[in-house]
Amino acid sequence: MAANMGAVILIAAAALGVFVNFSVHKIEEGHVAVYYRGGALLQETCGPGYHMMFPFLTTFRSVQVTLQTDEVKNVPCGTSGGVMIYFDRIEVVNILRSDSGNQDFIYNNTPG
Protein backbone atom coordinates (compact mmCIF):
# COMPACT_ATOMS: atom_id res chain seq x y z
CA MET A 1 0.00 0.00 0.00
CA ALA A 2 2.84 2.39 0.88
CA ALA A 3 4.55 1.65 -2.45
CA ASN A 4 1.37 2.54 -4.32
CA MET A 5 1.04 5.79 -2.35
CA GLY A 6 4.66 6.67 -3.21
CA ALA A 7 4.00 6.05 -6.89
CA VAL A 8 0.87 8.23 -6.80
CA ILE A 9 2.78 11.05 -5.12
CA LEU A 10 5.61 10.73 -7.65
CA ILE A 11 3.16 10.87 -10.60
CA ALA A 12 1.34 13.86 -9.07
CA ALA A 13 4.65 15.68 -8.53
CA ALA A 14 5.72 14.96 -12.12
CA ALA A 15 2.37 16.22 -13.46
CA LEU A 16 2.66 19.37 -11.35
CA GLY A 17 6.21 19.90 -12.62
CA VAL A 18 5.08 19.61 -16.26
CA PHE A 19 2.16 21.98 -15.61
CA VAL A 20 4.42 24.61 -14.00
CA ASN A 21 7.04 24.20 -16.74
CA PHE A 22 4.51 25.06 -19.45
CA SER A 23 2.81 27.76 -17.31
CA VAL A 24 5.78 29.97 -16.47
CA HIS A 25 7.23 32.25 -19.14
CA LYS A 26 9.71 35.12 -19.15
CA ILE A 27 9.23 38.52 -20.79
CA GLU A 28 12.43 40.44 -21.50
CA GLU A 29 12.99 44.10 -20.64
CA GLY A 30 11.60 46.39 -23.36
CA HIS A 31 8.84 43.93 -24.29
CA VAL A 32 5.25 43.25 -23.26
CA ALA A 33 3.39 39.96 -23.52
CA VAL A 34 0.08 39.74 -25.35
CA TYR A 35 -2.02 36.65 -24.76
CA TYR A 36 -4.24 34.54 -27.01
CA ARG A 37 -6.76 31.99 -25.81
CA GLY A 38 -8.18 29.74 -28.48
CA GLY A 39 -6.81 32.12 -31.11
CA ALA A 40 -8.62 35.17 -29.67
CA LEU A 41 -6.57 38.14 -28.48
CA LEU A 42 -7.10 38.78 -24.75
CA GLN A 43 -7.13 42.22 -23.13
CA GLU A 44 -4.48 41.18 -20.62
CA THR A 45 -0.87 42.28 -21.12
CA CYS A 46 2.17 41.79 -18.88
CA GLY A 47 5.43 43.68 -18.61
CA PRO A 48 8.95 42.34 -18.12
CA GLY A 49 9.55 39.48 -15.69
CA TYR A 50 8.31 35.97 -15.03
CA HIS A 51 4.58 35.30 -15.43
CA MET A 52 2.19 32.35 -15.36
CA MET A 53 -0.52 31.39 -17.83
CA PHE A 54 -2.85 28.44 -18.29
CA PRO A 55 -0.84 26.06 -20.50
CA PHE A 56 -2.08 24.55 -23.78
CA LEU A 57 -5.13 26.89 -23.93
CA THR A 58 -3.35 30.21 -23.58
CA THR A 59 -0.38 31.27 -25.72
CA PHE A 60 1.64 34.47 -25.66
CA ARG A 61 3.72 36.59 -27.98
CA SER A 62 6.41 39.01 -26.89
CA VAL A 63 6.04 42.45 -28.51
CA GLN A 64 8.91 44.93 -28.52
CA VAL A 65 7.88 48.34 -27.14
CA THR A 66 11.25 50.07 -27.35
CA LEU A 67 12.65 51.86 -30.39
CA GLN A 68 13.17 49.42 -33.26
CA THR A 69 14.30 49.71 -36.84
CA ASP A 70 12.88 47.47 -39.56
CA GLU A 71 14.38 47.19 -43.02
CA VAL A 72 12.65 46.37 -46.30
CA LYS A 73 14.80 45.52 -49.34
CA ASN A 74 14.14 45.73 -53.09
CA VAL A 75 10.93 47.76 -53.00
CA PRO A 76 9.40 48.36 -56.46
CA CYS A 77 7.61 51.66 -56.99
CA GLY A 78 5.70 52.61 -60.12
CA THR A 79 5.33 56.19 -61.29
CA SER A 80 2.24 57.63 -62.97
CA GLY A 81 4.19 57.53 -66.26
CA GLY A 82 4.66 53.76 -65.98
CA VAL A 83 8.34 53.87 -65.00
CA MET A 84 9.41 51.36 -62.36
CA ILE A 85 11.86 52.52 -59.71
CA TYR A 86 13.44 50.05 -57.30
CA PHE A 87 14.55 51.16 -53.86
CA ASP A 88 17.42 49.02 -52.60
CA ARG A 89 16.57 49.53 -48.94
CA ILE A 90 13.96 51.36 -46.88
CA GLU A 91 14.30 51.70 -43.11
CA VAL A 92 11.30 52.22 -40.86
CA VAL A 93 11.88 53.38 -37.30
CA ASN A 94 9.01 52.90 -34.86
CA ILE A 95 8.11 52.58 -31.20
CA LEU A 96 4.97 51.09 -29.69
CA ARG A 97 3.28 52.43 -26.59
CA SER A 98 3.49 50.07 -23.63
CA ASP A 99 -0.08 50.74 -22.48
CA SER A 100 -3.35 49.14 -23.55
CA GLY A 101 -3.29 50.94 -26.92
CA ASN A 102 -1.24 48.02 -28.23
CA GLN A 103 -4.29 45.75 -28.07
CA ASP A 104 -6.10 47.68 -30.82
CA PHE A 105 -2.93 47.92 -32.91
CA ILE A 106 -2.23 44.19 -32.65
CA TYR A 107 -5.86 43.26 -33.27
CA ASN A 108 -6.08 45.43 -36.41
CA ASN A 109 -2.64 44.61 -37.84
CA THR A 110 -2.15 40.88 -37.43
CA PRO A 111 -3.49 38.11 -39.64
CA GLY A 112 -6.33 35.94 -38.45
Side-chain angles (χ1 to χ4, degrees):
M1 180 77 170
N4 288 341
M5 185 59 98
V8 168
I9 291 173
L10 182 63
I11 291 172
L16 181 64
V18 168
F19 183 82
V20 168
N21 183 50
F22 286 107
S23 296
V24 175
H25 58 282
K26 180 180 178 185
I27 305 301
E28 298 291 335
E29 189 68 36
H31 292 75
V32 294
V34 293
Y35 295 93
Y36 297 88
R37 185 167 297 139
L41 181 64
L42 302 177
Q43 291 297 319
E44 175 186 3
T45 62
C46 289
Y50 288 96
H51 304 282
M52 290 191 73
M53 64 181 180
F54 195 72
F56 310 114
L57 295 179
T58 304
T59 58
F60 78 97
R61 295 289 182 256
S62 183
V63 178
Q64 185 176 346
V65 293
T66 57
L67 186 70
Q68 69 182 38
T69 302
D70 297 313
E71 185 177 287
V72 182
K73 294 183 178 182
N74 291 332
V75 178
C77 182
T79 66
S80 61
V83 177
M84 290 297 291
I85 301 171
Y86 290 90
F87 293 97
D88 292 333
R89 181 176 61 133
I90 296 176
E91 288 187 359
V92 179
V93 179
N94 62 63
I95 188 167
L96 290 177
R97 298 182 316 196
S98 60
D99 59 13
S100 62
N102 287 332
Q103 296 299 97
D104 293 332
F105 178 81
I106 292 167
Y107 181 77
N108 292 325
N109 294 290
T110 56

